[in-house]
Amino acid sequence: MVIGGPAAAALGTLSPEEILFLRSLPKAELHAHLNGSIPISVLQELASEYLASRAASGSSSSSISDESLVAGIEKLKQGPVLEEIMDFFSLFPAIYALTSTPEALKRATRAVLSTFLDGDLPECNHLELRTTPRQTTAMDREQYLLAVLEEVELYDPDKVGLIVSVDRRMGDDVLGECVRIACKLRSEGRRVIGLDLCGDPTAGQVETFAPYFAEAKKAGLGLTVHIAETIHNSSEETMKLLSYNPDRLGHATFLDEEAVEVVLDKRMCIEICLTSNLLCKTVSTLESHHILQYLKADHPVSICTDDILPFRTSLLAEYALLLAKPPYGLGLSQDQVRKMGEMSLHARFK
């Protein structure tokens, strides 16, 4: 995986001893989206096979053209310029087209798991991989999750679990189906450990999700929600989401004082994605990042990557942003960084 941008700059300032310290640090990755973490080399292989298959069959029934597919892959390869968070969501049609069969999805999942978990000093000791079940002409939503689980369950249970994501744009029928499948698989002993609310942060009405979150929690699933990602997310919406008592919060970038008080009181772990925030321009600088208020309050946080492909980062590089001296990083001590690794492990879903 190519590292670039602020993550690469921070990593480049560290000594070999500091890098070894970060590599050896026990830590968990709790906020990694499957489709945003596929290595570019695997996407290129899938793209070549996809285009060759379409050419051989003469098919043009796909919702995405060959030109758009190639352009999307090339944009991801180069590292897209993200002016705001909404730019990020335009990157996925090409990836979705390439992972629309169980076989391709399993290959992609296998590559992501290997990126995080394989090697003598893997990126993390525990991974929680999340993905939204998609229905395609080749598989339904349950088959989608089963394909991912087939790869996930090749690893020991303490190494990796699957979080099922539901999208804010989903209607009740699809939302209900996704949650029912997640609960069913959990009851059957499959490695489904949590439910996530994700998607366009300005879409949907959060009241819709209340009964589904309750159903998931009753089934023993952990709950994490993307929350207050933009300035357009209202205080009322944020407080409503907090009232559902999620176990963890994704980003939580624009919490107001009332919301922060609730989060601190309930000790809800914040999933922090430093590079993602910087490149999506939801945070202007590291020095102004909201992680600092939680460190000061000794509040649980987990350092995460979000989507390593478009953001050109890694979990090692995200930790480098903690350890590197300003202006390249936050300049935390090794003891502080070690504690953050411990907090991430304590916040994992069972």
Side-chain angles (χ1 to χ4, degrees):
M1 190 66 68
V2 177
I3 309 299
L11 201 55
T13 68
L14 300 183
S15 68
E17 291 76 19
E18 288 172 322
I19 292 174
L20 180 59
F21 161 72
L22 292 180
R23 286 193 181 279
S24 305
L25 189 71
K27 52 191 174 297
E29 163 58 274
L30 304 180
H31 189 129
H33 295 274
L34 169 58
N35 284 289
S37 302
I38 305 169
I40 191 65
S41 59
V42 175
L43 289 175
Q44 290 171 324
E45 291 172 5
L46 291 171
S48 296
E49 295 168 13
Y50 178 94
L51 295 174
S53 175
R54 286 187 64 186
S57 66
S59 170
S60 59
S61 59
S62 174
S63 61
I64 184 169
S65 67
D66 293 352
E67 293 78 12
S68 296
L69 179 63
V70 173
I73 296 297
E74 192 59 32
K75 188 174 183 182
L76 287 163
K77 179 180 178 183
Q78 292 175 358
V81 176
L82 302 174
E83 296 299 333
E84 59 180 23
I85 193 171
M86 299 310 297
D87 294 341
F88 178 64
F89 293 100
S90 68
L91 300 174
F92 283 101
I95 296 176
Y96 292 157
L98 298 180
T99 56
S100 59
T101 68
E103 294 76 17
L105 180 60
K106 284 190 280 189
R107 281 171 61 184
T109 303
R110 191 178 312 135
V112 173
L113 293 170
S114 180
T115 297
F116 281 105
L117 296 172
D118 291 346
D120 293 333
L121 287 174
E123 282 278 289
C124 57
N125 303 83
H126 177 80
L127 169 67
E128 293 185 359
L129 190 62
R130 61 183 68 186
T131 191
T132 304
R134 287 185 291 116
Q135 181 171 309
T136 73
T137 57
M139 57 185 168
D140 60 27
R141 291 183 179 87
E142 183 168 357
Q143 290 169 329
Y144 179 103
L145 290 177
L146 288 171
V148 175
L149 284 168
E150 186 173 325
E151 299 299 325
V152 164
E153 290 170 351
L154 293 176
Y155 289 81
D156 291 340
D158 64 333
K159 289 291 185 184
V160 59
L162 179 64
I163 296 176
V164 175
S165 294
V166 292
D167 195 293
R168 290 174 62 121
R169 294 163 293 189
M170 284 178 174
D172 275 320
D173 53 344
V174 176
L175 178 58
E177 180 185 3
C178 290
V179 173
R180 283 192 296 273
I181 293 169
C183 294
K184 170 179 175 286
L185 292 172
R186 169 81 174 187
S187 71
E188 293 172 350
R190 305 304 298 264
R191 199 88 57 80
V192 178
I193 58 173
L195 189 74
D196 163 46
L197 177 65
C198 69
D200 181 347
T202 63
Q205 300 295 319
V206 296
E207 293 83 0
T208 304
F209 300 98
Y212 303 106
F213 290 163
E215 183 180 353
K217 295 190 97 175
K218 184 178 180 181
L221 295 172
L223 178 62
T224 178
V225 297
H226 286 65
I227 190 171
E229 291 184 76
T230 77
I231 58 173
H232 305 295
N233 295 113
S234 69
S235 175
E236 292 76 17
E237 177 188 280
T238 296
M239 293 304 294
K240 179 62 70 174
L241 282 172
L242 291 176
S243 74
Y244 302 144
N245 291 314
D247 303 288
R248 301 199 309 251
L249 306 174
H251 301 295
T253 316
F254 296 98
L255 298 181
D256 61 20
E257 289 185 9
E258 182 183 11
V260 168
E261 186 176 336
V262 172
V263 169
L264 293 177
D265 180 63
K266 294 189 176 182
R267 303 287 290 173
M268 296 173 177
C269 179
I270 312 288
E271 300 161 356
I272 296 286
C273 306
L274 296 167
T275 296
S276 170
N277 297 154
L278 290 171
L279 294 187
C280 286
K281 309 274 193 309
T282 55
V283 172
S284 56
T285 64
L286 280 176
E287 292 77 13
S288 62
H289 199 285
H290 52 290
I291 188 177
L292 296 173
Q293 69 177 316
Y294 296 110
L295 292 178
K296 186 176 180 180
D298 195 27
H299 184 80
V301 298
S302 173
I303 300 303
C304 309
T305 56
D306 205 7
D307 296 89
I308 60 178
L309 176 59
F311 298 136
R312 294 184 297 165
T313 191
S314 68
L315 193 58
L316 173 68
E318 293 301 293
Y319 273 81
L321 286 165
L322 301 176
L323 189 63
K325 299 293 188 293
Y328 299 101
L330 293 173
L332 302 185
S333 69
Q334 289 194 5
D335 284 343
Q336 287 175 303
V337 174
R338 184 180 293 108
K339 183 174 182 179
M340 295 178 76
E342 292 171 355
M343 285 192 291
S344 70
L345 287 166
H346 290 154
R348 60 188 177 181
F349 293 151
K350 301 297 188 279

